[in-house]
Amino acid sequence: MDSVAIFCTGALLACGFYWFVWILGPAEQKGKRAVDLSGGSISAEKVQDNYKQYWSFFRRPKEIEKAEKVPDFVDTFYNLVTDIYEWGWGQSFHFSPSIRGKSHRDATRLHEEMAVDLIGAKSGDRILDVGCGVGGPMRAIAAHSSANVVGITINEYQVKRARQHNKKAGLDSLCEVVCGNFLQMPFADSSFDGAYSIEATCHAPKLEEVYAEIFRVLKPGSLYVSYEWVTTDKYRAENHEHVEIIQGIERGDALPGLRNYSDIAETARKVGFEVVKERDLAKPPALPWWTRLKMGRIAYWRNHILVTVLAALGIAPKGTVDVHEMLFKTADYLTRGGDTGIFTPMHMILCRKPDSPPSASQADS
C-alpha cells in the first residue's frame, strides 16, 4: 500500500510539474517555453557574470551616457531579458492602453496598428521599424498594411528570434530584420517611405542622434511616429519618491536617462522634422496601461517559483532568477510611475520630413 501511495504521489507531482511548465509556461503568444529560457547570445555559464556586468554600468553612470557604450549596455540587457520577456509577456515588448472589452493581445495589436495608420503606410511602401525587438509590432503592422517592414535591433539573438517568428507567421516576404545600431544605421539616405519606433528610442543616450538618423533615411515628405518613454508634467525632481521611481525604471530597463515630455518635439524640430501631432496616449479617456502589470503579480510568483526550480535543476542558466527578480522590481516601479502619473511609455509624436531641406538659417534656429 505504501508503494502505491508513493507511486501515486510521484505521478501527481510529475503531472503537476508538467502542467506548470508546459501549460502555464509558454508566453501569451506561445513564443517561448520556460524550459527554453536562455541568456540570448550569452552562453549559459556566463549569464550570471553578464548580469553583474549589467549592474556595473550603473556604478559608472557617466559611461552609459556615451554613445560608444550604448551598444554593449543595451545588448547585454536584451541578451538577459529577451527570453523572459517573450515567455512572460509576449512578442511585443511594449505597453498599450487597456481597452474595455478587449484582451491585452488585442489592445497591443490596435496600439501597433495605430502607429502605421498615422504614417499612412500602404502596400508596396518600405517602412522602418526602429528598435524592432523580436518583431511583434513589425508582424502586426505588415499584416495590417501589407507594407514591407525593415526592422533594426542591436541584439543578434533578437534578430534570430524575429526571423523565426516571421517565417512561422508566413510574413518573411514582408518583414526583414537587420542587426545594427540605430545611431549608425546601415541604410542609404532617403530610402524609406515611413518609419516608426515603439518605446525604443529611450535607449539612445541622446535623442537628437537617433532622430537625426531617422531623418536621414526617410524620403522627403515621409512621416515618422514614435511612442516615447518620458516623465510627465507631474514629475518633480525635488520629490524623493518621484526620483526613486524614475531611477528604478531606468535601472531595470537599460535607460541612460529618461527625458521629459517637453524635450521631444524640440529635439524633433532641431534635426529638421516638422511636428504634425503630439499627445500622451496614456491620458484619459485611455484606460491605465499599467493594469496588466498589477494583474500579473500572481503570474510573477508562479513564474518565479518555476524559474528558481529550473535554475536549481540546471535547466535554466544561473542568473536567470536574478534577472527575473530585477524585472519584477522594475514592474513595481513602472506601476508606481503610472499610479502617480509622473511617467508615460506612450508619449506620441508624429513628424514629417519636409519636401525640401531647411535652409541654413532654419536649421540653426
Side-chain angles (χ1 to χ4, degrees), residues 168-227:
K168 188 175 181 180
L171 291 166
D172 47 333
S173 63
L174 290 176
C175 299
E176 178 187 348
V177 190
V178 174
C179 188
N181 184 347
F182 59 30
L183 298 176
Q184 298 172 321
M185 292 192 282
F187 307 123
D189 294 358
S190 305
S191 55
F192 287 93
D193 300 296
Y196 65 87
S197 55
I198 299 180
E199 304 182 26
T201 57
C202 51
H203 291 299
K206 294 181 180 178
L207 190 62
E208 181 180 347
E209 293 178 353
V210 65
Y211 275 15
E213 269 293 271
I214 295 166
F215 186 89
R216 177 183 67 80
V217 302
L218 279 178
K219 295 176 182 177
S222 298
L223 294 168
Y224 163 60
V225 66
S226 184
Y227 298 165

Side-chain angles (χ1 to χ4, degrees), residues 52-64:
K52 293 176 181 176
Q53 177 191 345
Y54 172 75
W55 279 105
S56 74
F57 281 109
F58 291 99
R59 290 194 289 273
R60 305 188 305 275
K62 290 298 179 186
E63 292 294 296
I64 59 177

Side-chain angles (χ1 to χ4, degrees), residues 129-190:
D129 181 333
V130 184
C132 65
V134 298
M138 126 178 344
R139 287 183 289 279
I141 282 167
H144 178 66
S145 66
S146 297
N148 297 287
V149 185
V150 180
I152 184 168
T153 172
I154 193 74
N155 186 262
E156 287 184 7
Y157 181 68
Q158 289 189 337
V159 172
K160 175 184 173 183
R161 291 296 295 168
R163 288 173 177 168
Q164 289 172 345
H165 289 311
N166 292 346
K167 186 173 182 179
K168 188 175 181 180
L171 291 166
D172 47 333
S173 63
L174 290 176
C175 299
E176 178 187 348
V177 190
V178 174
C179 188
N181 184 347
F182 59 30
L183 298 176
Q184 298 172 321
M185 292 192 282
F187 307 123
D189 294 358
S190 305

Side-chain angles (χ1 to χ4, degrees), residues 28-151:
E28 290 182 29
Q29 300 184 45
K30 310 298 180 187
K32 175 67 65 173
R33 296 185 308 169
V35 291
D36 297 326
L37 293 177
S38 72
S41 300
I42 302 169
S43 59
E45 64 273 12
K46 293 185 178 179
V47 170
Q48 197 159 45
D49 289 341
N50 275 262
Y51 172 76
K52 293 176 181 176
Q53 177 191 345
Y54 172 75
W55 279 105
S56 74
F57 281 109
F58 291 99
R59 290 194 289 273
R60 305 188 305 275
K62 290 298 179 186
E63 292 294 296
I64 59 177
E65 294 175 7
K66 298 178 181 178
E68 64 270 19
K69 297 293 182 180
V70 168
D72 286 342
F73 177 55
V74 176
D75 188 43
T76 298
F77 175 76
Y78 278 111
N79 274 322
L80 292 170
V81 306
T82 290
D83 275 0
I84 294 178
Y85 273 3
E86 198 176 333
W87 169 54
W89 189 263
Q91 295 172 21
S92 294
F93 298 173
H94 64 81
F95 297 104
S96 60
S98 298
I99 302 174
R100 197 169 280 107
K102 298 285 186 181
S103 67
H104 291 305
R105 186 184 300 183
D106 286 341
T108 296
R109 176 180 54 79
L110 291 170
H111 196 53
E112 293 163 351
E113 290 176 355
M114 182 176 70
V116 76
D117 287 342
L118 282 166
I119 62 174
K122 59 187 184 301
S123 178
D125 283 350
R126 187 171 185 246
I127 304 299
L128 176 63
D129 181 333
V130 184
C132 65
V134 298
M138 126 178 344
R139 287 183 289 279
I141 282 167
H144 178 66
S145 66
S146 297
N148 297 287
V149 185
V150 180

